[in-house]
Amino acid sequence: MQESQQNIQRYEEYEIDLRELLRTLMKNRVKIVLITSLITIGAVIYAYMTPKTYQVKAIIKIGEYKLANANANDNANAKVVIANASELSKELEILFIDILKNDKDREAKIDLLKKQKNFLEISAVGSSNKVASSELKKVIDYVQGNHKKILDDVKNLREAQAQQIEGKLTLLKNKTLPALLDKINRYKKDITIYETNFLDVQSNLKKIKEINPTLATIQINEQRYLADMLIKLKDSLEGFENEKNNIEVVQIEKYEEELNALKVLMKPYNYKNSEVIGNIMTNDYPIAPKKKLIVVVAFVTGLILSIFIVFFMEFIKGFKEEEKEA
């Protein structure tokens, strides 16, 4: 029974307190409306006076060039990406964000860099789409300009390699091979002469063997000399012919294959500079200020603040009355 009376008493006290709060709010409703309205109107003025900020975006695909040699079947489609997306992102962040962040005269700035494998998303903000796009274009031009230099270096290197191979082919075809053919022809003639002399000595040896043994001995020595020379000449001839075959079948063919492979790699379609995927993306509406959000937040803040001020003033007022009564 006692607990029930206590609960009723607490409820009555709570009801009284709630009524007092409502009376306070109703009594000061003009102040609440006034404060809330002032803050809200201030927010509206701020939202409409603040310069608009537009954002534009572009997705860049990092360029590449073909690496594989025509003979490298396993890597027939191997390609080299010009730059690492992460490293490129850091470079652009330093050049276009960190270094320029204190430049107060800039109408636009690079806002964000996102990297994903061989792609890079760049966004810029400015007072208009045109200004922001112009700032973004600077970054794109920088990337494409640097990457074009890299591609040009690769092309120049391959052109130099092609010229070097062409020089080797010219040397082999116009100097080394003709000189080798002259040697082979001379050796063939020498072998023919030595073979004729050998047969003559052999024929004479049969005739004079019994007639003049001393002369026969000289002829035998000469025959041996001719036989040794024939062996040496034929060995040398065989070496020259092997060298000639190696040049014609192996070296020239190898250099021609390398040259053809380089010429294929030097075709324009094997080089691709960094490029923007699609077009630069713009938005008809600014990203800032967010007028509706600012007004709503200001209204809620103003309402809460005005209620707090009213209750605080009532608290001070009540505190002073208690001091007077005391």
Side-chain angles (χ1 to χ4, degrees), residues 61-216:
K61 183 181 180 183
I62 301 174
E64 58 191 17
Y65 60 89
K66 193 172 180 181
L67 177 67
N69 188 293
N71 294 325
N73 295 325
D74 294 338
N75 297 317
N77 296 314
K79 293 180 180 178
V80 175
V81 178
I82 296 175
N84 178 278
S86 179
E87 293 176 359
L88 179 60
S89 174
K90 289 178 182 177
E91 179 184 352
L92 296 177
E93 185 176 351
I94 292 170
L95 291 174
F96 292 95
I97 297 179
D98 295 343
I99 293 177
L100 300 176
K101 65 183 177 182
N102 295 323
D103 188 355
K104 296 179 180 179
D105 296 330
R106 294 173 69 201
E107 294 183 356
K109 63 179 181 178
I110 300 303
D111 182 50
L112 189 63
L113 295 167
K114 289 183 181 179
K115 54 188 179 295
Q116 184 177 1
K117 202 174 180 181
N118 299 334
F119 294 87
L120 193 65
E121 181 182 321
I122 307 173
S123 63
V125 293
S127 57
S128 67
N129 282 327
K130 183 179 179 181
V131 171
S133 297
S134 177
E135 186 71 16
L136 188 58
K137 189 81 165 51
K138 293 177 184 177
V139 181
I140 295 169
D141 290 343
Y142 173 83
V143 172
Q144 290 181 326
N146 276 8
H147 290 180
K148 184 179 181 300
K149 290 178 183 177
I150 294 173
L151 291 176
D152 288 341
D153 288 342
V154 174
K155 291 176 185 177
N156 292 335
L157 176 61
R158 287 175 174 172
E159 285 175 1
Q161 289 174 338
Q163 290 176 358
Q164 188 178 15
I165 293 173
E166 285 176 345
K168 290 179 180 179
L169 281 170
T170 301
L171 182 64
L172 285 175
K173 290 178 179 180
N174 297 339
K175 290 186 177 180
T176 305
L177 201 55
L180 199 55
L181 287 170
D182 286 342
K183 277 186 181 181
I184 290 171
N185 291 331
R186 286 202 310 270
Y187 271 72
K188 284 181 177 180
K189 289 177 181 178
D190 290 343
I191 288 171
T192 301
I193 293 170
Y194 274 95
E195 283 178 342
T196 302
N197 291 338
F198 181 82
L199 292 174
D200 290 344
V201 170
Q202 192 175 30
S203 177
N204 292 333
L205 185 60
K206 290 179 181 178
K207 294 177 183 178
I208 64 172
K209 194 171 184 181
E210 295 179 358
I211 301 171
N212 191 340
T214 303
L215 186 58

Side-chain angles (χ1 to χ4, degrees), residues 19-32 310-311:
R19 286 177 181 174
E20 286 296 324
L21 291 176
L22 290 173
R23 285 196 195 98
T24 302
L25 291 175
M26 291 301 295
K27 184 175 68 174
N28 295 281
R29 61 184 180 276
V30 176
K31 293 179 182 177
I32 294 172
V310 165
F311 281 118

